[in-house]
Amino acid sequence: GVLISYLYYFRFDYLKDIYSKNKSLLFIIAIFGISWTPFIEGETSYFAKTIGFTLLYISFGIVLLTFLLNSEINRTLNKVFSKSLVDVFSKIGFCSYSIYIIHTFVNLTVSKIQANYHLYYNPFLYFIVTSFMSITIGMMMTYYIERYFLKTRDRYYPSRVV
């Protein structure tokens, strides 16, 4: 992520050139690097904890590059899915850091409630409930807390970029 950011902001032409020349190979690497994940038990697999984790990191970096450098990505996504679905996922993606920050707290809280009240544990329902709660709380954090502090920061320390 840091390397991609550096290249994007300081060596953009170089990054764009490498991406353009190797687009097909990068696509194959990304598909290969992501496709194994649903089939391996991550907690016990030596492969998943070592080479697999590195493959995921590289593969999602390639996906990030595609979203950054492909000027037709919005049109393509809107055609494949739908504009409204892409918009919903874009809003979730915009709030992803807050969702990431809160999801562990949500998972622990729901687990404690389930254990304390001896509620039936259904992994599918648990996933749906905790995902919905994490996304909702994370979006609220982004729009009400983070946005407030960013506006305050910008008021006292305006951007120097012209």
Side-chain angles (χ1 to χ4, degrees):
V2 173
L3 176 61
I4 290 171
S5 179
Y6 169 79
L7 293 172
Y8 185 82
Y9 285 105
F10 298 107
R11 306 278 314 271
F12 183 78
D13 293 332
Y14 174 74
L15 180 65
K16 182 92 170 159
D17 186 49
I18 286 180
Y19 176 80
S20 297
K21 288 179 182 175
N22 299 294
K23 199 181 298 188
S24 298
L25 176 63
L26 290 171
F27 179 76
I28 292 167
I29 292 169
I31 294 299
F32 171 72
I34 294 171
S35 64
W36 63 269
T37 55
F39 307 108
I40 293 184
E41 181 65 40
E43 293 179 16
T44 57
S45 169
Y46 180 75
F47 173 80
K49 290 180 180 180
T50 56
I51 297 166
F53 185 70
T54 304
L55 275 175
L56 274 181
Y57 182 76
I58 291 168
S59 299
F60 281 116
I62 294 168
V63 171
L64 175 62
L65 282 175
T66 302
F67 276 77
L68 288 171
L69 301 176
N70 184 343
S71 60
E72 298 293 314
I73 194 70
N74 287 340
R75 252 183 243 112
T76 304
L77 290 172
N78 289 343
K79 273 189 224 171
V80 172
F81 300 105
S82 75
K83 184 174 179 353
S84 54
L85 185 63
V86 171
D87 288 347
V88 167
F89 277 95
S90 294
K91 283 183 172 70
I92 292 171
F94 178 75
C95 302
S96 63
Y97 186 69
S98 294
I99 295 167
Y100 165 73
I101 293 295
I102 201 67
H103 88 279
T104 301
F105 175 74
V106 169
N107 288 345
L108 289 172
T109 303
V110 171
S111 289
K112 285 193 184 267
I113 290 170
Q114 185 265 328
N116 288 343
Y117 293 100
H118 308 290
L119 301 173
Y120 173 71
Y121 176 76
N122 178 324
F124 179 73
L125 183 61
Y126 178 84
F127 174 77
I128 297 296
V129 168
T130 57
S131 295
F132 178 78
M133 289 176 66
S134 297
I135 290 168
T136 303
I137 296 168
M139 290 179 84
M140 290 171 48
M141 286 172 55
T142 296
Y143 290 116
Y144 296 108
I145 299 170
E146 184 179 358
R147 206 174 250 175
Y148 169 79
F149 284 104
L150 290 175
K151 284 180 183 178
T152 303
R153 178 204 62 193
D154 291 342
R155 187 173 41 228
Y156 292 107
Y157 302 101
S159 176
R160 292 186 268 178
V161 178
V162 178

